[in-house]
Amino acid sequence: MKYKSNRLSNVPPYKFAEVQKMKKEALEAGVDVIDLGVGDPDLPTPKHIVNKLVEELQDPANLKYPSFAGSPEFREAVAAFYQKTYDVKLDPDTEVLALIGSKEGIGHLLPAVIDPGDYVLGPDPGYPVYRMATLLADGEYHNMSLEAAHGFKPNFDEIPNDILEKAKVMFLNYPSNPTGATVGIDVYERAIEFARKHKILVVTDSAYNMVTYNNYKSPSIMQVDGSKEFAVEFGSLSKAYCMTGWRIGYVVGNKEVIKSLSIYKSNVDTGVFTPIQKAAAHALTGDQSSVTEYNQVYKERMETMVAALQSIGIGTKPIHAGFFIWAPVPDGYTSEQFVATVLEQTGVIFTPGNIFGPGGEGYFRVSFSVPNERIQEAVERIREKLVIGS
Ligand SMILES: *Cc1c(COP(=O)(O)O)cnc(C)c1O
């Protein structure tokens, strides 16, 4: 008997679990743990969105099976959001699809568009789901290494020709998790040019598109001419509106890709609960003051964190988006050794960079998932208790 496919056996173990185990042990030992590892901020979903959900729950028609592609209200709200934010026109019927969170869509995209042995190009370091979803679709993953010296931007010329010939899909993610890097529209222009030349689908993951500060505005690949031919963009309500548990996102762009993904999905799921779609539509088109307010909170946490890390000799710079700081570990440590040492000596949890791919080795990620006072406390403890090089 073997209840595990070879495909699944090829997927490396979920590395976050190890950090979670160390956390559990520390908590059991009575340590006051400050968890700066999780990517799920402490701020609540804004009240008007919760109220809209409660209202929609009262209508029995909303409690039936949802439609596969998503409710018209939600798809129109995504199109309206693109019009308002990026001056991009989308057809809500054919160029927008509702997802059970963008992770679900990213996961199901690959079996819908690649064949076994096809190559997927993805950022290294990058969000682990791109790699895992590729392996689960029997594809091959190629790490596009993102260098600090190059602003963690992709270097398309570095991809070997033999890989390019077999490549079907390229993932890009800006504002980036884990590096915090942001880009201008020029990077997307080059990506579309590259896609046209090599017949590759570009997939952008815009999970942090609205989590921006310091006057930075994140562009969309959909603003580039030709994007509807060569690109799709995933988006999420999770980060901008603190709706991680609600499970709602979307994909926009190339019609054929959206069609393929919707055929695949119609055979494995039955869409997003309608009241959640209607509340999400309200989030996208309604009052955006919570977004501004939350971004201010992240900006302050980011500044506290960067100043604190710099004060203990860890080199890192202010960023303009997202809620993660990406920093090099001190000399003499691997990422995992450093994270384990910090937890042991101070009760503070970071995420080891190697979780995000081989290019993440030598780095750690800090998330602004806790209030400023706890960030201050974490840094005080590191300053007072951490013995680097012991
Ligand atoms: C959080 C996150 C997602 C997933 O968001 P959901 O919509 O909650 O599934 C996708 N990509 C990146 C880079 C993320 O950090």
Side-chain angles (χ1 to χ4, degrees), residues 101-103 106 127 130 173 177 205 207-208 236 238-239 244 247-248:
S102 58
K103 181 179 180 181
I106 292 166
Y127 184 54
Y130 313 137
N173 166 226
N177 173 13
D205 176 351
Y208 299 91
S236 176
S238 291
K239 311 293 159 65
T244 51
R247 311 313 303 134
I248 182 153

Side-chain angles (χ1 to χ4, degrees), residues 294-334:
Y294 285 6
N295 286 346
Q296 185 60 26
V297 172
Y298 299 136
K299 174 182 150 76
E300 282 163 22
R301 290 179 181 182
M302 183 276 296
E303 285 168 351
T304 304
M305 185 55 76
V306 169
L309 289 170
Q310 286 173 345
S311 78
I312 53 172
I314 287 173
T316 186
K317 284 187 294 193
I319 54 172
H320 312 298
F323 34 70
F324 301 110
I325 290 287
W326 183 245
V329 301
D331 285 345
Y333 291 91
T334 65

